[in-house]
Amino acid sequence: MVSSAGSAIEWFDFFSYGTAAALVFNELFFPASDPLVGTLLAFVTFAIGFVARPLGGIVFGHFGDRVGRKPALVTALFLMGGSTAVIGLLPTYDAIGVAAPLLLVVLRLLQGIAVGGQWGGAVLIATENAPRGRRGLYGSFAQLGVPAGLMLSSLVFLLTTSALDEEQFATWGWRVPFLCSIALIVVAIYAQFQLEETKDSRQVKEEREASGASRSPVVEVLRRHPRNVLLAAGAVVIVGAGFYLFVTYMLAYGTAVLGMPKSTLLNAVLVGAALQIPALMAFGALSDRIGRRKVYLAGALGMGLWAYPAFVLMNTERWPLVTLALVGGQLLFACMYGPQAAFFSELFTARVRYSGASLGYQLGVMLGGAFTPIIATWLYAKYGSFVPVAGFLAVAAAVSCVCVLVLSETYQQEETEPEAVTGGSDAHDEASLTAS
């Protein structure tokens, strides 16, 4: 429960930034630019958080593998809560000039580092404590933070945009979601006193102390599991690209291109986020029965095929069809994200699991998610059509499908170390590690 609650509030913080970037940051922090350039610059600051996520994965991965999952997770929660609250207090461009976007970039970097470290801790606490044969389901609990955070973020923005007029929202209403992040600090304090370290983490720590091993877990995972890290990153490309196309770029597309009300789009995102919660658990549980790879592949392939019809539905500007477009994309995301926690944790041995899973995931999300709103905005501006944008998503899906196909199934090996998950050099390296 702690990992789910902390993850939900942390993702609420992260998504609040994405929503604000799509709706108001272009006017508040980049007012000297024309509307297109302002939107692109706002999305650049959004992307910076993703660029920082691999750094967070490295720093907190090292910390989590050597010291423990719990202290790494708690530290990440404190960092996210603090940096997001400060964004809510940040003066705009009109007040302090160019210092405003510069400070925004720094705080967004801290957000990215925090979320880059939080994911691995939440996932491993869930999966390493899971009963036999239920890692997929238990891992999905940590993943619930994404739809829960998205739902909370959309709901808060929906309430503020509905209750306030445009001037009030631009003046102070946008700050409300960021200031709500103080709740994350409360969760971090609770986790510090109530959360127990996992058995795998305690065992690894004891082994390291007994052997006197000093090698960095990040260096070790890159030396012994480079193929797994790269394939995991490739598998995540469509997760990041698809998710942020449907929950971030589509907000800008609907408002700026189609002229739809913000509330219409936020309502559609809210419905999709609510449906994601049971979907994530269902797909995680399904992966315990038929395998991680089959479920993940279905979601990746479906996401690539859904892009074009989703834009056709959006262009109708009718709320039921717009909602169908966004809900469909979010459910396909859940098909991949549900089994992902167990899938990625099973790719690496316990001694480097935090570093390996975090690094693979954060690299993939950076490549797939950071630049999707920017690329989509640029493609539409250049060609005046959604077709290239849909094609971009199809290419991302193809890359991820190939990477998942190369990876072998892991769900039947959950009680053993994954010595031959991908075969080849990784298998040899893992055998050497075990022997040592």
Side-chain angles (χ1 to χ4, degrees):
M1 290 298 294
V2 171
S3 64
S4 297
S7 181
I9 301 174
E10 180 139 7
W11 283 109
F12 164 79
D13 293 350
F14 203 73
F15 292 143
S16 292
Y17 190 101
T19 304
L23 298 179
V24 294
F25 276 3
N26 58 331
E27 300 172 359
L28 296 176
F29 291 92
F30 309 99
S33 307
D34 64 57
L36 174 61
V37 175
T39 300
L40 284 171
L41 289 174
F43 281 147
V44 166
T45 63
F46 177 72
I48 286 171
F50 287 88
V51 175
R53 284 173 67 169
L55 175 60
I58 291 172
V59 172
F60 284 92
H62 175 91
F63 190 31
D65 281 326
R66 293 191 67 91
V67 180
R69 319 310 194 204
K70 173 185 167 179
L73 175 61
V74 169
T75 303
L77 294 178
F78 271 113
L79 180 59
M80 176 60 93
S83 59
T84 306
V86 174
I87 291 177
L89 301 172
L90 193 65
T92 62
Y93 186 93
D94 288 341
I96 60 174
V98 71
L102 291 177
L103 289 171
L104 189 65
V105 168
V106 172
L107 293 169
R108 183 59 176 170
L109 281 169
L110 293 177
Q111 273 195 323
I113 292 171
V115 81
Q118 176 272 341
W119 182 83
V123 161
L124 295 189
I125 285 172
T127 57
E128 290 182 350
N129 286 321
R132 180 187 178 101
R134 303 187 71 184
R135 276 188 183 170
L137 175 62
Y138 273 61
S140 71
F141 294 158
Q143 308 289 67
L144 293 180
V146 170
L150 176 60
M151 187 164 56
L152 289 171
S153 174
S154 298
L155 182 60
V156 171
F157 272 96
L158 180 63
L159 291 174
T160 52
T161 54
S162 299
L164 306 175
D165 58 34
E166 292 284 342
E167 183 178 353
Q168 290 173 322
F169 181 75
T171 302
W172 61 269
W174 66 271
R175 300 180 183 275
V176 173
F178 294 96
L179 295 175
C180 288
S181 67
I182 294 172
L184 188 60
I185 298 176
V186 177
V187 173
I189 294 172
Y190 178 83
Q192 174 65 33
F193 291 101
Q194 298 297 323
L195 199 62
E196 293 185 3
E197 190 58 86
T198 69
K199 179 181 177 181
D200 286 354
S201 180
R202 291 196 301 268
Q203 183 176 346
V204 168
K205 187 176 180 180
E206 290 171 0
E207 290 175 353
R208 284 186 181 277
E209 291 174 351
S211 64
S214 59
R215 179 178 294 164
S216 164
V218 176
V219 172
E220 189 173 329
V221 79
L222 290 176
R223 179 172 177 266
R224 304 216 181 252
H225 306 278
R227 194 178 180 212
N228 280 9
V229 172
L230 292 176
L231 289 173
V236 178
V237 167
I238 185 56
V239 174
F243 186 82
Y244 289 101
L245 183 97
F246 281 101
V247 304
T248 299
Y249 173 73
M250 283 299 195
L251 291 177
Y253 179 80
T255 55
V257 176
L258 302 179
M260 298 176 64
K262 294 182 180 72
S263 59
T264 298
L265 296 162
L266 289 171
N267 272 317
V269 171
L270 190 60
V271 171
L275 293 175
Q276 267 192 66
I277 292 176
L280 278 168
M281 292 187 289
F283 288 125
L286 182 62
S287 75
D288 286 328
R289 297 177 62 86
I290 68 172
R292 321 291 186 215
R293 196 172 67 159
K294 291 178 183 177
V295 180
Y296 201 106
L297 273 174
L301 182 60
M303 184 72 83
L305 295 175
W306 183 243
Y308 183 89
F311 274 101
V312 173
L313 293 171
M314 284 286 295
N315 288 345
T316 66
E317 300 182 36
R318 297 174 59 187
W319 188 81
L321 298 180
V322 169
T323 301
L324 177 61
L326 299 184
V327 168
Q330 291 186 60
L331 291 181
L332 288 166
F333 162 81
C335 191
M336 296 176 284
Y337 207 60
Q340 185 187 77
F343 193 14
F344 282 22
S345 66
E346 291 163 355
L347 291 174
F348 305 97
T349 55
R351 61 186 286 132
V352 295
R353 188 171 291 148
Y354 203 128
S355 298
S358 294
L359 191 56
Y361 174 65
Q362 302 303 344
L363 282 173
V365 172
M366 181 189 70
L367 294 173
F371 307 107
T372 290
I374 299 171
I375 293 171
T377 301
W378 177 80
L379 285 173
Y380 189 88
K382 181 174 179 62
Y383 297 102
S385 170
F386 68 82
V387 175
V389 182
F392 161 74
L393 197 64
V395 171
V399 170
S400 292
C401 284
V402 171
C403 291
V404 176
L405 286 170
V406 174
L407 286 167
S408 298
E409 188 53 77
T410 62
Y411 81 113
Q412 293 178 327
Q413 304 169 359
E414 65 171 302
E415 297 304 317
T416 63
E417 295 293 348
E419 288 144 1
V421 173
T422 59
S425 60
D426 278 350
H428 178 267
D429 290 339
E430 193 64 52
S432 299
L433 177 61
T434 304
S436 64

